[in-house]
Amino acid sequence: MTSNKENAKSTNRVLRISQLDALELNKALEQLVWSQFTQCFHGFKPGLLARFEPEVKACLWLFLWRFTIYSKNATVGQSVLNIQYKNDFSPNLRYQPPSKNQKIWYAVCTIGGRWLEERCYDLLRNHHLASFGKVKQCVNFVVGLLKLGGLINFLIFLQRGKFATLTERLLGIHSVFCMPQNVREVGFEYMNRELLWHGFAEFLIFLLPLINVQKLKAKLSSWCIPLTGAPNSDNILATSGKECSLCGEWPTLPHTIGCEHIFCYFCAKSSFLFDMYFTCPKCGTEVHSLQPLKSGIEMSEVNAL
């Protein structure tokens, strides 16, 4: 019997990562609801909700609390992950939902605490109440103690895996699965294959931006030129004068990079700025200097086309 109980507890125990994921989902939902709510007042006067922002947020969070924790014993994030709260003070081993007082105190500690913190910050920031220096120090001291308590509770949670927040520990409620979870067995070969493919994909994502595709094409084309027979310089100039070696159009402001081929000024300049080791895609010649096409013999040969 004891072994069965221990196995049931181990299988129904909520993982730490699941509890943290539920908290993150709750924060994401609150941000989404608030952004959607503020968009409703997009056409009104700017700053309309600034004065009553803590109260409006508290009303929205109370609305969410009413239809999540109060009625379903779980937040939205917990419902997504098949988790709900259990009364830890109950001596019964079976599932016992949080009492009504625990739910109300949960709303007071979470919603009321955040409202009080925001409203006190706004009040103490007011210039008319600047003389209450001791009150401000006391409030900051209390907030600091709560933050310290939350940090200590989080460290204990990481060790024991229970009570993810300080409010849960004070109220005696912790996360349990709504339905028993089956133990999933994953094959060792499958996991090795997945890890191998993920590692290979990350390596490709890291390697591909480092590959100079234009330079690789130039190398391949330079290897293929001896096989087809290299034409003389006059034929090269005659054929390259019709089009830019990069864009394939009639060269605008024709320039050369040190070889017989002709480029548009903007094509060659942008390629050189993008890659300092830019080479000619036709013959693989590196860029030594970008020079305009001379208006003498070379231009007469181009115009002869």
Side-chain angles (χ1 to χ4, degrees), residues 16 21-22 71 90 162 166 213 230 264:
R16 296 172 179 84
D21 286 341
S71 59
S90 176
K162 195 176 181 180
L166 183 62
V213 181
C264 298

Side-chain angles (χ1 to χ4, degrees), residues 125-185:
R125 191 177 55 181
N126 195 346
H127 297 287
H128 300 288
L129 301 178
S131 59
F132 295 94
K134 294 183 178 180
V135 177
K136 186 176 182 179
Q137 292 179 359
C138 293
V139 171
N140 293 333
F141 180 74
V142 172
V143 173
L145 284 180
L146 292 176
K147 299 293 184 182
L148 180 61
L151 176 61
I152 296 174
N153 176 79
F154 184 72
L155 296 177
I156 298 175
F157 163 74
L158 292 179
Q159 182 182 9
R160 300 182 181 180
K162 195 176 181 180
F163 303 119
T165 61
L166 183 62
T167 304
E168 295 178 3
R169 185 175 296 275
L170 294 177
L171 298 180
I173 54 177
H174 68 278
S175 301
V176 294
F177 284 113
C178 301
M179 299 177 63
Q181 300 294 301
N182 297 325
V183 179
R184 295 181 295 177
E185 296 182 359

Side-chain angles (χ1 to χ4, degrees), residues 39-280:
Q39 286 181 2
C40 297
F41 298 88
H42 182 71
F44 291 85
K45 182 180 178 181
L48 182 63
L49 298 176
R51 295 180 57 187
F52 309 101
E53 183 175 340
E55 287 75 16
V56 174
K57 283 186 176 180
C59 293
L60 289 176
W61 308 155
L62 278 174
F63 181 80
L64 292 177
W65 167 84
R66 172 61 182 83
F67 293 99
T68 54
I69 296 178
Y70 188 82
S71 59
K72 298 182 179 180
N73 304 320
T75 62
V76 177
Q78 290 178 332
S79 300
V80 172
L81 299 175
N82 191 28
I83 301 173
Q84 61 183 357
Y85 279 129
K86 178 185 177 182
N87 189 355
D88 197 58
F89 293 150
S90 176
N92 193 356
L93 296 178
R94 300 182 61 183
Y95 172 75
Q96 190 70 22
S99 63
K100 186 176 180 180
N101 292 331
Q102 287 176 324
K103 296 176 182 178
I104 294 175
W105 277 109
Y106 183 89
V108 171
C109 293
T110 55
I111 303 173
R114 283 187 292 180
W115 170 82
L116 185 62
E117 181 181 0
E118 294 179 2
R119 183 49 67 190
C120 287
Y121 178 77
D122 292 338
L123 290 176
L124 295 176
R125 191 177 55 181
N126 195 346
H127 297 287
H128 300 288
L129 301 178
S131 59
F132 295 94
K134 294 183 178 180
V135 177
K136 186 176 182 179
Q137 292 179 359
C138 293
V139 171
N140 293 333
F141 180 74
V142 172
V143 173
L145 284 180
L146 292 176
K147 299 293 184 182
L148 180 61
L151 176 61
I152 296 174
N153 176 79
F154 184 72
L155 296 177
I156 298 175
F157 163 74
L158 292 179
Q159 182 182 9
R160 300 182 181 180
K162 195 176 181 180
F163 303 119
T165 61
L166 183 62
T167 304
E168 295 178 3
R169 185 175 296 275
L170 294 177
L171 298 180
I173 54 177
H174 68 278
S175 301
V176 294
F177 284 113
C178 301
M179 299 177 63
Q181 300 294 301
N182 297 325
V183 179
R184 295 181 295 177
E185 296 182 359
V186 181
F188 181 72
E189 296 181 356
Y190 173 78
M191 289 298 299
N192 280 342
R193 186 166 60 251
E194 288 294 320
L195 291 175
L196 178 63
W197 280 110
H198 279 291
F200 183 68
E202 290 180 358
F203 176 74
L204 287 180
I205 293 173
F206 171 76
L207 184 62
L208 287 177
L210 303 178
I211 298 176
N212 192 338
V213 181
Q214 293 182 352
K215 197 169 185 178
L216 184 61
K217 287 182 179 180
K219 287 290 184 182
L220 294 177
S221 62
S222 63
W223 291 343
C224 295
I225 285 175
L227 298 178
T228 58
N232 54 25
S233 60
D234 296 335
N235 294 332
I236 291 175
L237 182 61
T239 55
S240 62
K242 294 181 180 180
E243 61 183 20
C244 173
S245 298
L246 286 174
C247 64
E249 301 293 335
W250 184 266
T252 304
L253 299 176
H255 279 64
T256 60
I257 61 174
C259 63
E260 296 84 356
H261 300 96
I262 298 177
F263 301 85
C264 298
Y265 170 76
F266 301 104
C267 294
K269 190 67 175 179
S270 59
S271 299
F272 180 70
L273 292 176
F274 178 75
D275 183 11
M276 296 180 61
Y277 302 99
F278 168 68
T279 57
C280 177

